[in-house]
């Protein structure tokens, strides 16, 4: 069978900016027969995520991420439909997902590597299993529950950087659902800020490319910041940390501003900001959602319930 696939064509370098030429769309073939225990799947959705920048390096800088290999097909979160099955638990027409889905139009995969999906859980919107009801939603929910220490009725203020991104937009909504009394987002355009407030339920949003972010943050968070969902790192995070309260918490989800730089993860804070963190006893622990997979099933059901109730938008 003839297929189309995306392979890694070159590496941008640890300090380089990725370009389209780092990838190559090519024609290839897969076997015409499906072996026992395997299924033939047609790809429907692929998720392209910030962490993949690390996989473009020869050394990902992480013990849990494997680098993509040159001239080999890229992979990540994906969803497809079974077209032929030789696996006892999967049938033609079943929708399935995997964290290691190859970037190609069709594939033969072992059935044991796939998770069967129930479209009704997300009102038929399958792509939600890569977003609000997938690893992105799990990262937001478990990050808040495990590292945010949010308590209903505690009058906590949450700030989210990268707030218009896949994880950030969910984190703000979940922060509210979990009990935060005020949620403020930081994004890069007026349009994104407007969507956060008008559609995603944020109380306010700051365009970091306009005006004085520190000043706006003081105005919008007069009682200081109790929980910071950090997706970006860098100057934005330094500004937020400087306004965090005693015994507050940083959910260290990502450091997008640092992904094109050869620095350790998580990147060290500047000395003055590190001093603030220590003096105010602000927690800043690395968060990896894969360490909490024992809570995956219950958490996905919670996310799906919010989606069905219209409380969580992807």
């Amino acid at each position: 069978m003839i297929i189309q696939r995306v392979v890694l064509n070159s590496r941008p370098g640890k300090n380089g900016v990725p370009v389209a030429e780092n990838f190559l769309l090519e024609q290839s073939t897969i076997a015409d027969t499906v072996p026992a225990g395997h299924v033939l799947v047609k790809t429907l959705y692929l998720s392209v995520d910030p962490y993949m920048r690390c996989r473009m390096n020869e050394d990902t800088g992480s013990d849990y991420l494997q680098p993509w290999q040159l001239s080999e097909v890229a992979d990540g979160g994906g969803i497809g439909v079974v077209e032929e099955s030789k696996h006892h638990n999967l049938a033609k027409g079943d929708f399935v997902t995997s964290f290691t889905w190859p970037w190609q139009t069709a594939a033969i995969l072992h059935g044991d590597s796939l998770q069967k999906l129930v479209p009704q859980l997300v009102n038929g919107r399958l792509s939600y299993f890569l977003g609000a009801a997938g690893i992105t939603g799990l990262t937001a929910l478990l990050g808040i529950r495990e590292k945010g220490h949010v308590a209903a009725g505690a009058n906590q203020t949450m700030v989210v950087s990268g707030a218009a991104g896949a994880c950030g937009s969910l984190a703000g909504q979940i922060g509210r659902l979990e009990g935060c009394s005020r949620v403020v987002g930081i994004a890069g355009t007026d349009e994104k800020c407007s969507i956060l407030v008008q559609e995603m339920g944020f109380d306010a949003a700051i365009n970091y490319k306009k005006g004085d972010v520190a000043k706006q943050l003081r105005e919008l968070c007069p009682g200081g910041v109790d929980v910071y969902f950090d997706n970006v790192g860098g100057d934005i995070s330094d500004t937020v940390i400087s306004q965090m309260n005693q015994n507050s918490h940083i959910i260290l989800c990502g450091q997008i501003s640092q992904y094109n730089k050869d620095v350790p993860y998580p990147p060290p804070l500047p000395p003055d900001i590190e001093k603030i963190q220590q003096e105010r006893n602000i927690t800043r622990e690395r968060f990896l959602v894969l360490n909490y997979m024992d809570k995956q099933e219950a958490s996905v059901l919670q996310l799906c319930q919010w989606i069905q109730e219209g409380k969580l938008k992807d």
Side-chain angles (χ1 to χ4, degrees):
M1 179 187 294
I2 298 174
I3 62 164
Q4 298 284 317
R5 68 178 194 168
V6 176
V7 301
L8 185 66
N9 190 46
S10 60
R11 300 190 190 276
K14 284 193 172 182
N15 295 300
V17 176
V19 294
E21 288 73 23
N22 293 139
F23 295 94
L24 180 67
L25 177 64
E26 64 178 23
Q27 185 172 287
S28 185
T29 59
I30 58 174
D32 291 323
T33 57
V34 179
H38 292 67
V39 294
L40 169 66
V41 292
K42 176 184 177 182
T43 300
L44 299 177
Y45 299 100
L46 295 172
S47 184
V48 181
D49 305 295
Y51 80 88
M52 292 175 172
R53 172 61 185 87
C54 304
R55 299 192 68 189
M56 296 179 74
N57 297 334
E58 196 166 2
D59 177 7
T60 65
S62 171
D63 53 6
Y64 69 91
L65 281 181
Q66 294 299 312
W68 286 330
Q69 299 301 316
L70 291 172
S71 301
E72 295 292 330
V73 67
D75 70 293
I79 291 174
V81 61
V82 175
E83 299 209 316
E84 182 181 346
S85 177
K86 295 289 181 63
H87 189 272
H88 62 283
N89 279 339
L90 296 171
K92 183 178 180 179
D94 284 347
F95 296 105
V96 291
T97 186
S98 168
F99 291 141
T100 56
W101 197 283
W103 287 13
Q104 53 193 58
T105 51
I108 294 175
L109 305 174
H110 199 289
D112 290 348
S113 70
L114 301 171
Q115 179 184 352
K116 188 175 177 180
L117 299 175
V118 182
Q120 292 83 355
L121 288 176
V122 289
N123 299 326
R125 291 169 289 192
L126 276 174
S127 64
Y128 272 42
F129 285 115
L130 293 179
I135 197 72
T136 312
L138 284 171
T139 300
L141 176 59
L142 290 171
I144 288 168
R145 286 184 171 177
E146 299 297 326
K147 301 295 184 182
H149 303 277
V150 173
N155 198 32
Q156 291 165 298
T157 293
M158 172 187 279
V159 171
V160 182
S161 58
C167 198
S169 60
L170 294 170
Q173 296 175 77
I174 292 170
R176 169 80 75 202
L177 290 166
E178 288 289 281
C180 286
S181 60
R182 186 164 182 78
V183 179
V184 176
I186 302 175
T189 69
D190 288 342
E191 181 184 10
K192 289 178 180 178
C193 290
S194 177
I195 290 171
L196 290 175
V197 174
Q198 296 179 13
E199 298 182 23
M200 301 294 182
F202 283 64
D203 293 287
I206 296 170
N207 181 349
Y208 70 86
K209 295 180 181 177
K210 283 187 173 181
D212 185 334
V213 175
K215 180 174 181 291
Q216 294 178 75
L217 202 59
R218 281 192 295 272
E219 293 171 351
L220 294 172
C221 306
V225 178
D226 301 295
V227 183
Y228 173 39
F229 200 99
D230 185 5
N231 285 304
V232 302
D235 293 343
I236 294 294
S237 290
D238 296 346
T239 300
V240 177
I241 293 170
S242 68
Q243 297 190 33
M244 293 187 73
N245 292 325
Q246 193 76 24
N247 300 319
S248 53
H249 305 284
I250 299 169
I251 303 163
L252 196 58
C253 178
Q255 302 283 276
I256 292 173
S257 71
Q258 309 297 306
Y259 284 173
N260 290 328
K261 301 175 184 177
D262 186 13
V263 295
Y265 187 86
L269 296 171
D272 57 329
I273 302 300
E274 185 176 16
K275 184 180 179 183
I276 290 173
Q277 181 204 350
Q278 293 173 348
E279 289 178 346
R280 298 181 190 172
N281 194 33
I282 302 170
T283 62
R284 183 182 183 255
E285 300 170 346
R286 184 175 183 175
F287 171 73
L288 178 59
V289 69
L290 298 177
N291 289 338
Y292 299 92
M293 285 298 98
D294 59 315
K295 301 181 179 180
Q296 177 185 8
E297 186 174 350
S299 298
V300 169
L301 289 175
Q302 174 64 84
L303 293 165
C304 289
Q305 181 181 333
W306 284 333
I307 291 168
Q308 290 174 331
E309 293 171 351
K311 295 178 179 178
L312 189 63
K313 298 180 181 178
D314 203 351

